[in-house]
Amino acid sequence: MFVPDLPIRTDRLLLRAFTAGDLAVLRDYRGRPEVTRFLYHEPYDDAAARAAIDRLVRRTALRAPGDVLNLAVTLADTGEFVGDVLLSWISGEHRQGEIGYVAHPDHTGRGYVTEAAREMLRVGFEGLGLHRIVGRLDARNTASARVLERLGMRREAHLRENEFVKGEWADEVVYALLVREWRAAA
Ligand SMILES: CC(C)(COP(=O)(O)OP(=O)(O)OC[C@H]1O[C@@H](n2cnc3c(N)ncnc32)[C@H](O)[C@@H]1OP(=O)(O)O)[C@@H](O)C(=O)NCCC(=O)NCCS
């Protein structure tokens, strides 16, 4: 179990818990088709955004396998919302986790997501004591693959048409990092 001390600070960012006040920005960026193209969900409408924020505000700790930590990524200087990151606790027995991230399209190309996702790896390895953390993505999502490569994660698998997503068969790519690889890179 791990309850992070929030907010988490990095050079440029504050990673904080979601609040009800994030509803409008969440509806905005997750309502855009270019953002959700390789996500499992369709662009949010008002109802979907409200349901999502109700979930997100409660996901502030990893108390048991199956729990997800979702954090809003904001600029330390201005408080501006630039995206979100998550760490999912996949298995207690096997000490496995998964990271995920979505950038607000007005704030891509600046390395904010990589900087934030690195903190999710830190929470997983140093806070929760995970052995291995994965990142999974649609094989066409090259911007996401670059994030995982910048994080030092290893491309482990390319699964052919293993998922039927939004009306079509999609390939999935899996990246992973072991705790000893994280420590060696520190
Ligand atoms: C995937 C996604 C998060 C990547 O966003 P991004 O802005 O490219 O990622 P980062 O914030 O890490 O920024 C990295 C980019 O900023 C550039 N950059 C500028 N300053 C930087 C800095 N100080 N540090 C690192 N990178 C920097 C990098 O060169 C890189 O650009 P490149 O990929 O063209 O080389 C974004 O495209 C997105 O949200 N997509 C939709 C949702 C999605 O698909 N999520 C992933 C699901 S698996």
Side-chain angles (χ1 to χ4, degrees):
M1 138 154 185
F2 184 69
V3 180
D5 195 9
L6 298 178
I8 296 170
R9 288 161 199 278
T10 70
D11 282 351
R12 297 179 295 172
L13 307 172
L14 275 188
L15 278 49
R16 60 161 175 79
F18 271 90
T19 71
D22 296 321
L23 176 62
V25 71
L26 187 76
R27 164 77 176 82
D28 174 11
Y29 73 105
R30 290 225 181 200
R32 303 191 197 188
E34 73 269 26
V35 171
T36 63
R37 175 162 181 231
F38 296 125
L39 302 180
Y40 290 117
H41 70 79
E42 297 292 348
Y44 282 172
D45 57 14
D46 290 343
R50 267 196 303 276
I53 206 89
D54 287 348
R55 284 194 304 275
L56 293 170
V57 295
R58 286 184 276 114
R59 292 184 175 170
T60 57
L62 296 158
R63 295 195 165 81
D67 281 359
V68 181
L69 173 67
N70 282 100
L71 297 178
V73 182
T74 64
L75 297 185
D77 288 350
T78 62
E80 200 169 355
F81 188 108
V82 297
D84 67 83
V85 283
L86 68 82
L87 174 68
S88 179
W89 189 1
I90 302 289
S91 164
E93 181 184 4
H94 304 295
R95 287 192 275 144
Q96 306 282 311
E98 177 175 346
I99 55 167
Y101 37 79
V102 177
H104 190 301
D106 295 350
H107 300 281
T108 51
R110 295 181 181 88
Y112 295 144
V113 165
T114 299
E115 191 168 319
R118 188 171 286 119
E119 295 310 304
M120 294 294 94
L121 292 177
R122 192 185 314 284
V123 166
F125 288 131
E126 298 176 18
L128 196 53
L130 293 179
H131 178 70
R132 176 175 175 268
I133 298 177
V134 301
R136 299 184 302 119
L137 57 147
D138 186 302
R140 295 167 293 184
N141 197 348
T142 49
S144 180
R146 285 199 296 274
V147 170
L148 298 174
E149 278 160 16
R150 273 192 296 275
L151 290 168
M153 298 181 79
R154 190 168 11 78
R155 194 177 176 101
E156 282 196 339
H158 184 131
L159 309 173
R160 300 285 174 194
E161 299 189 11
N162 68 317
E163 290 185 324
F164 192 72
V165 187
K166 298 180 176 172
E168 60 178 345
W169 289 107
D171 287 12
E172 183 177 54
V173 164
V174 180
Y175 281 78
L177 190 66
L178 300 173
V179 64
R180 63 173 174 273
E181 295 169 328
W182 164 262
R183 287 195 191 118

